[in-house]
PDB file of all heavy atoms in Angstrom:
ATOM      1  N   PHE A  33     145.393  15.281 -33.263  1.00 97.00           N
ATOM      2  CA  PHE A  33     146.029  14.889 -34.525  1.00 97.00           C
ATOM      3  C   PHE A  33     145.027  15.054 -35.662  1.00 97.00           C
ATOM      4  O   PHE A  33     143.820  15.197 -35.434  1.00 97.00           O
ATOM      5  CB  PHE A  33     146.480  13.420 -34.469  1.00 97.00           C
ATOM      6  CG  PHE A  33     147.743  13.190 -33.683  1.00 97.00           C
ATOM      7  CD1 PHE A  33     147.746  13.266 -32.298  1.00 97.00           C
ATOM      8  CD2 PHE A  33     148.938  12.881 -34.326  1.00 97.00           C
ATOM      9  CE1 PHE A  33     148.902  13.047 -31.570  1.00 97.00           C
ATOM     10  CE2 PHE A  33     150.105  12.653 -33.601  1.00 97.00           C
ATOM     11  CZ  PHE A  33     150.083  12.734 -32.223  1.00 97.00           C
ATOM     12  N   ARG A  34     145.505  15.016 -36.896  1.00 98.00           N
ATOM     13  CA  ARG A  34     144.614  14.974 -38.062  1.00 98.00           C
ATOM     14  C   ARG A  34     145.039  13.804 -38.937  1.00 98.00           C
ATOM     15  O   ARG A  34     146.219  13.447 -38.992  1.00 98.00           O
ATOM     16  CB  ARG A  34     144.623  16.288 -38.833  1.00 98.00           C
ATOM     17  CG  ARG A  34     145.947  16.665 -39.426  1.00 98.00           C
ATOM     18  CD  ARG A  34     145.915  18.057 -40.080  1.00 98.00           C
ATOM     19  NE  ARG A  34     147.257  18.483 -40.395  1.00 98.00           N
ATOM     20  CZ  ARG A  34     147.939  18.097 -41.461  1.00 98.00           C
ATOM     21  NH1 ARG A  34     147.393  17.300 -42.354  1.00 98.00           N
ATOM     22  NH2 ARG A  34     149.170  18.522 -41.667  1.00 98.00           N
ATOM     23  N   THR A  35     144.076  13.201 -39.592  1.00 98.00           N
ATOM     24  CA  THR A  35     144.361  12.058 -40.458  1.00 98.00           C
ATOM     25  C   THR A  35     144.882  12.571 -41.793  1.00 98.00           C
ATOM     26  O   THR A  35     144.246  13.407 -42.433  1.00 98.00           O
ATOM     27  CB  THR A  35     143.088  11.214 -40.674  1.00 98.00           C
ATOM     28  OG1 THR A  35     142.609  10.804 -39.395  1.00 98.00           O
ATOM     29  CG2 THR A  35     143.371   9.996 -41.528  1.00 98.00           C
ATOM     30  N   ILE A  36     146.051  12.062 -42.198  1.00 98.00           N
ATOM     31  CA  ILE A  36     146.622  12.500 -43.481  1.00 98.00           C
ATOM     32  C   ILE A  36     146.594  11.378 -44.520  1.00 98.00           C
ATOM     33  O   ILE A  36     146.849  11.623 -45.695  1.00 98.00           O
ATOM     34  CB  ILE A  36     148.054  13.063 -43.309  1.00 98.00           C
ATOM     35  CG1 ILE A  36     149.012  12.024 -42.728  1.00 98.00           C
ATOM     36  CG2 ILE A  36     148.037  14.323 -42.461  1.00 98.00           C
ATOM     37  CD1 ILE A  36     150.479  12.440 -42.744  1.00 98.00           C
ATOM     38  N   HIS A  37     146.263  10.144 -44.079  1.00 98.00           N
ATOM     39  CA  HIS A  37     146.173   9.029 -45.025  1.00 98.00           C
ATOM     40  C   HIS A  37     145.417   7.891 -44.365  1.00 98.00           C
ATOM     41  O   HIS A  37     145.517   7.679 -43.159  1.00 98.00           O
ATOM     42  CB  HIS A  37     147.580   8.546 -45.418  1.00 98.00           C
ATOM     43  CG  HIS A  37     147.568   7.409 -46.395  1.00 98.00           C
ATOM     44  ND1 HIS A  37     147.365   7.580 -47.740  1.00 98.00           N
ATOM     45  CD2 HIS A  37     147.705   6.070 -46.204  1.00 98.00           C
ATOM     46  CE1 HIS A  37     147.393   6.402 -48.343  1.00 98.00           C
ATOM     47  NE2 HIS A  37     147.603   5.472 -47.417  1.00 98.00           N
ATOM     48  N   GLN A  38     144.637   7.157 -45.174  1.00 97.00           N
ATOM     49  CA  GLN A  38     144.012   5.927 -44.673  1.00 97.00           C
ATOM     50  C   GLN A  38     143.801   4.969 -45.834  1.00 97.00           C
ATOM     51  O   GLN A  38     143.697   5.384 -46.979  1.00 97.00           O
ATOM     52  CB  GLN A  38     142.721   6.214 -43.926  1.00 97.00           C
ATOM     53  CG  GLN A  38     141.628   6.879 -44.729  1.00 97.00           C
ATOM     54  CD  GLN A  38     140.452   7.280 -43.839  1.00 97.00           C
ATOM     55  OE1 GLN A  38     140.647   7.791 -42.740  1.00 97.00           O
ATOM     56  NE2 GLN A  38     139.252   7.051 -44.319  1.00 97.00           N
ATOM     57  N   GLU A  39     143.780   3.669 -45.492  1.00 97.00           N
ATOM     58  CA  GLU A  39     143.628   2.618 -46.498  1.00 97.00           C
ATOM     59  C   GLU A  39     142.624   1.582 -46.008  1.00 97.00           C
ATOM     60  O   GLU A  39     142.561   1.288 -44.817  1.00 97.00           O
ATOM     61  CB  GLU A  39     144.961   1.915 -46.754  1.00 97.00           C
ATOM     62  CG  GLU A  39     146.009   2.777 -47.408  1.00 97.00           C
ATOM     63  CD  GLU A  39     147.345   2.058 -47.586  1.00 97.00           C
ATOM     64  OE1 GLU A  39     147.424   0.834 -47.356  1.00 97.00           O
ATOM     65  OE2 GLU A  39     148.315   2.727 -47.948  1.00 97.00           O
ATOM     66  N   GLY A  40     141.908   0.978 -46.981  1.00 96.00           N
ATOM     67  CA  GLY A  40     141.021  -0.143 -46.692  1.00 96.00           C
ATOM     68  C   GLY A  40     139.602   0.272 -46.376  1.00 96.00           C
ATOM     69  O   GLY A  40     139.327   1.401 -46.000  1.00 96.00           O
ATOM     70  N   ASN A  41     138.701  -0.680 -46.566  1.00 94.00           N
ATOM     71  CA  ASN A  41     137.295  -0.493 -46.220  1.00 94.00           C
ATOM     72  C   ASN A  41     136.765  -1.817 -45.695  1.00 94.00           C
ATOM     73  O   ASN A  41     136.464  -2.695 -46.496  1.00 94.00           O
ATOM     74  CB  ASN A  41     136.503  -0.016 -47.443  1.00 94.00           C
ATOM     75  CG  ASN A  41     135.078   0.342 -47.073  1.00 94.00           C
ATOM     76  OD1 ASN A  41     134.752   0.458 -45.902  1.00 94.00           O
ATOM     77  ND2 ASN A  41     134.239   0.523 -48.082  1.00 94.00           N
ATOM     78  N   PRO A  42     136.716  -2.053 -44.377  1.00 94.00           N
ATOM     79  CA  PRO A  42     137.016  -1.073 -43.330  1.00 94.00           C
ATOM     80  C   PRO A  42     138.498  -0.719 -43.289  1.00 94.00           C
ATOM     81  O   PRO A  42     139.331  -1.430 -43.832  1.00 94.00           O
ATOM     82  CB  PRO A  42     136.587  -1.776 -42.038  1.00 94.00           C
ATOM     83  CG  PRO A  42     136.678  -3.237 -42.362  1.00 94.00           C
ATOM     84  CD  PRO A  42     136.356  -3.362 -43.821  1.00 94.00           C
ATOM     85  N   ILE A  43     138.805   0.367 -42.621  1.00 96.00           N
ATOM     86  CA  ILE A  43     140.175   0.893 -42.584  1.00 96.00           C
ATOM     87  C   ILE A  43     141.119  -0.103 -41.903  1.00 96.00           C
ATOM     88  O   ILE A  43     140.828  -0.594 -40.823  1.00 96.00           O
ATOM     89  CB  ILE A  43     140.209   2.250 -41.859  1.00 96.00           C
ATOM     90  CG1 ILE A  43     139.310   3.258 -42.587  1.00 96.00           C
ATOM     91  CG2 ILE A  43     141.640   2.791 -41.780  1.00 96.00           C
ATOM     92  CD1 ILE A  43     139.079   4.552 -41.831  1.00 96.00           C
ATOM     93  N   THR A  44     142.230  -0.390 -42.564  1.00 97.00           N
ATOM     94  CA  THR A  44     143.249  -1.289 -42.003  1.00 97.00           C
ATOM     95  C   THR A  44     144.512  -0.539 -41.601  1.00 97.00           C
ATOM     96  O   THR A  44     145.321  -1.052 -40.847  1.00 97.00           O
ATOM     97  CB  THR A  44     143.633  -2.390 -43.010  1.00 97.00           C
ATOM     98  OG1 THR A  44     144.076  -1.760 -44.220  1.00 97.00           O
ATOM     99  CG2 THR A  44     142.459  -3.302 -43.307  1.00 97.00           C
ATOM    100  N   MET A  45     144.693   0.691 -42.124  1.00 98.00           N
ATOM    101  CA  MET A  45     145.875   1.484 -41.811  1.00 98.00           C
ATOM    102  C   MET A  45     145.544   2.950 -41.989  1.00 98.00           C
ATOM    103  O   MET A  45     144.831   3.317 -42.920  1.00 98.00           O
ATOM    104  CB  MET A  45     147.035   1.099 -42.733  1.00 98.00           C
ATOM    105  CG  MET A  45     148.372   1.712 -42.336  1.00 98.00           C
ATOM    106  SD  MET A  45     148.671   3.369 -42.932  1.00 98.00           S
ATOM    107  CE  MET A  45     149.231   3.038 -44.582  1.00 98.00           C
ATOM    108  N   ALA A  46     146.052   3.765 -41.070  1.00 98.00           N
ATOM    109  CA  ALA A  46     145.872   5.208 -41.180  1.00 98.00           C
ATOM    110  C   ALA A  46     147.134   5.888 -40.661  1.00 98.00           C
ATOM    111  O   ALA A  46     147.868   5.317 -39.849  1.00 98.00           O
ATOM    112  CB  ALA A  46     144.658   5.669 -40.377  1.00 98.00           C
ATOM    113  N   VAL A  47     147.372   7.099 -41.151  1.00 98.00           N
ATOM    114  CA  VAL A  47     148.480   7.912 -40.668  1.00 98.00           C
ATOM    115  C   VAL A  47     147.867   9.182 -40.081  1.00 98.00           C
ATOM    116  O   VAL A  47     147.086   9.864 -40.746  1.00 98.00           O
ATOM    117  CB  VAL A  47     149.473   8.283 -41.791  1.00 98.00           C
ATOM    118  CG1 VAL A  47     150.650   9.072 -41.228  1.00 98.00           C
ATOM    119  CG2 VAL A  47     149.956   7.031 -42.518  1.00 98.00           C
ATOM    120  N   VAL A  48     148.216   9.452 -38.814  1.00 98.00           N
ATOM    121  CA  VAL A  48     147.761  10.674 -38.161  1.00 98.00           C
ATOM    122  C   VAL A  48     148.973  11.524 -37.841  1.00 98.00           C
ATOM    123  O   VAL A  48     150.068  11.013 -37.618  1.00 98.00           O
ATOM    124  CB  VAL A  48     146.933  10.369 -36.887  1.00 98.00           C
ATOM    125  CG1 VAL A  48     145.623   9.671 -37.245  1.00 98.00           C
ATOM    126  CG2 VAL A  48     147.720   9.551 -35.881  1.00 98.00           C
ATOM    127  N   LYS A  49     148.770  12.850 -37.837  1.00 97.00           N
ATOM    128  CA  LYS A  49     149.902  13.762 -37.670  1.00 97.00           C
ATOM    129  C   LYS A  49     149.464  14.974 -36.857  1.00 97.00           C
ATOM    130  O   LYS A  49     148.352  15.467 -37.008  1.00 97.00           O
ATOM    131  CB  LYS A  49     150.395  14.188 -39.055  1.00 97.00           C
ATOM    132  CG  LYS A  49     151.641  15.042 -39.040  1.00 97.00           C
ATOM    133  CD  LYS A  49     152.109  15.302 -40.467  1.00 97.00           C
ATOM    134  CE  LYS A  49     153.291  16.227 -40.494  1.00 97.00           C
ATOM    135  NZ  LYS A  49     154.550  15.573 -40.701  1.00 97.00           N
ATOM    136  N   ARG A  50     150.372  15.408 -36.001  1.00 97.00           N
ATOM    137  CA  ARG A  50     150.212  16.693 -35.306  1.00 97.00           C
ATOM    138  C   ARG A  50     151.593  17.319 -35.248  1.00 97.00           C
ATOM    139  O   ARG A  50     152.522  16.734 -34.690  1.00 97.00           O
ATOM    140  CB  ARG A  50     149.646  16.502 -33.899  1.00 97.00           C
ATOM    141  CG  ARG A  50     149.540  17.818 -33.139  1.00 97.00           C
ATOM    142  CD  ARG A  50     148.780  17.706 -31.849  1.00 97.00           C
ATOM    143  NE  ARG A  50     148.855  18.966 -31.119  1.00 97.00           N
ATOM    144  CZ  ARG A  50     148.163  19.242 -30.035  1.00 97.00           C
ATOM    145  NH1 ARG A  50     147.336  18.336 -29.537  1.00 97.00           N
ATOM    146  NH2 ARG A  50     148.287  20.408 -29.434  1.00 97.00           N
TER     147      ARG A  50
END
Side-chain angles (χ1 to χ4, degrees):
F33 283 73
R34 63 185 169 81
T35 303
I36 60 171
H37 180 79
Q38 61 187 42
E39 293 177 9
N41 187 13
I43 300 170
T44 56
M45 189 276 278
V47 183
V48 294
K49 185 175 176 102
R50 177 170 174 171

